[in-house]
Amino acid sequence: MNITIIGCWGGFPKAGEATSGYLVEHDGFKLLLECGSGVVSLMQQKFDLGEIDAVLLTHYHYDHICDIGPLQYARQIKTQLGQINKTLPIYAPKGEFFNLLKWEDYTFGLDFDEKSILNIGPFEISFIKNVHPVEAYSIKIKCSDKVFSFTSDTAYFEGLDDFFDKSDILISECSFYSHMDGTKAGHLNSMQAGMLAEKAHVKKLVLTHLPHFGNTEDLAAQAREQYSGEIVLAEKFMELKI
């Protein structure tokens, strides 16, 4: 598997960057995980939007779905220009925006819940329901004997470490510094992200959904107090290989 980080900011994109967006690839299959603000623009610096085979959205907060509309327009225009001839599936929870995922013959929605196991291209994807103000899910992607996991947005809860157990890479949200409590907002702080990675015995921790305040290098330093493995801060166009 190859994972390219398109966007890694929480809430709104830093100038010239994007909020949540990750391209997961294997054997030529491209799965776009999240489609936040700025993702469609940035992706085109590296990839053709017509090459995306599927999209997966973990929840309906705007910093995770804001560019779905522009992506749908892109698929429409590229189809009309004869550049692509396939309908794009968008996997997402049922919710107030689900019906918008159907865009004529260009995109369509497929729903999932905590019990679902999806086989999308070469990937087997399972879910656990998060603690967040809206329905949201962490995901685990298996491909051959490798595992890539993603927290999406969540407060810490028991069982999350078991779900991520022995992941090769965990991309974890890290919205707050260790002295801050993100529980009511449904987010993790740096200490909790490190603790989660340690308890789950993951091989590599990548911190994402970064805050627009403070020194983000401190997030990694604080997580290292809890986790003995490798930690990196997500950044635009970072490539992760498993």
Side-chain angles (χ1 to χ4, degrees):
M1 270 187 288
N2 189 78
I3 302 108
T4 303
I5 296 173
I6 309 299
C8 58
W9 294 98
F12 66 97
K14 188 176 180 179
E17 299 199 24
T19 59
S20 295
Y22 311 87
L23 192 69
V24 187
E25 301 176 84
H26 183 71
D27 283 349
F29 190 93
K30 292 179 171 62
L31 170 67
L32 178 61
L33 173 59
E34 315 287 56
C35 193
S37 179
V39 166
V40 165
S41 177
L42 279 185
M43 275 198 68
Q44 293 176 89
Q45 296 183 27
K46 296 280 188 179
F47 306 97
D48 187 329
L49 297 175
E51 295 178 349
I52 299 172
D53 295 292
V55 178
L56 194 154
L57 306 174
T58 62
H59 67 291
Y60 292 117
H61 274 158
Y62 290 121
D63 55 340
H64 292 252
I65 66 163
C66 195
D67 268 18
I68 281 293
L71 179 60
Q72 290 173 313
Y73 277 121
R75 300 292 295 202
Q76 178 186 30
I77 292 168
K78 285 180 173 290
T79 300
Q80 292 171 345
L81 291 174
Q83 296 175 4
I84 55 175
N85 61 358
K86 59 182 179 181
T87 306
L88 179 68
I90 303 174
Y91 296 83
K94 283 283 192 182
E96 59 180 309
F97 291 101
F98 184 80
N99 290 337
L100 299 179
L101 302 180
K102 170 65 178 173
W103 182 262
E104 299 182 12
D105 294 325
Y106 309 110
T107 68
F108 65 98
L110 294 165
D111 66 276
F112 64 81
D113 59 27
E114 189 173 22
K115 297 179 181 179
S116 300
I117 297 178
L118 302 181
N119 290 287
I120 305 175
F123 307 123
E124 180 186 283
I125 306 176
S126 53
F127 305 87
I128 188 171
K129 193 170 184 179
N130 286 345
V131 176
H132 200 57
V134 301
E135 184 176 353
Y137 294 87
S138 287
I139 70 165
K140 181 167 57 182
I141 299 179
K142 294 182 179 180
C143 185
S144 299
D145 60 344
K146 304 299 183 182
V147 178
F148 160 55
S149 294
F150 174 60
T151 65
S152 184
D153 292 2
T154 186
Y156 187 85
F157 63 94
E158 293 299 323
L160 196 56
D161 55 320
D162 290 335
F163 180 71
F164 292 139
D165 190 48
K166 295 182 176 62
S167 297
D168 292 281
I169 290 178
L170 171 63
I171 295 184
S172 174
E173 74 125 298
C174 190
S175 300
F176 294 105
Y177 296 87
S178 61
H179 66 282
M180 305 173 72
D181 185 358
T183 303
K184 289 184 179 180
H187 288 291
L188 298 172
N189 65 24
S190 53
M191 178 188 69
Q192 291 169 323
M195 180 176 66
L196 174 61
E198 183 69 21
K199 292 179 69 175
H201 312 101
V202 305
K203 295 179 181 177
K204 183 172 185 175
L205 173 63
V206 181
L207 302 179
T208 193
H209 206 273
L210 304 175
H212 291 272
F213 55 90
N215 179 2
T216 54
E217 292 293 337
D218 291 343
L219 296 170
Q222 292 162 3
R224 286 190 188 99
E225 295 178 7
Q226 304 293 325
Y227 173 60
S228 58
E230 181 183 0
I231 300 178
V232 296
L233 285 175
E235 59 182 50
K236 179 176 70 174
F237 297 145
M238 175 182 283
E239 290 193 24
L240 306 165
K241 296 184 184 296
I242 305 178

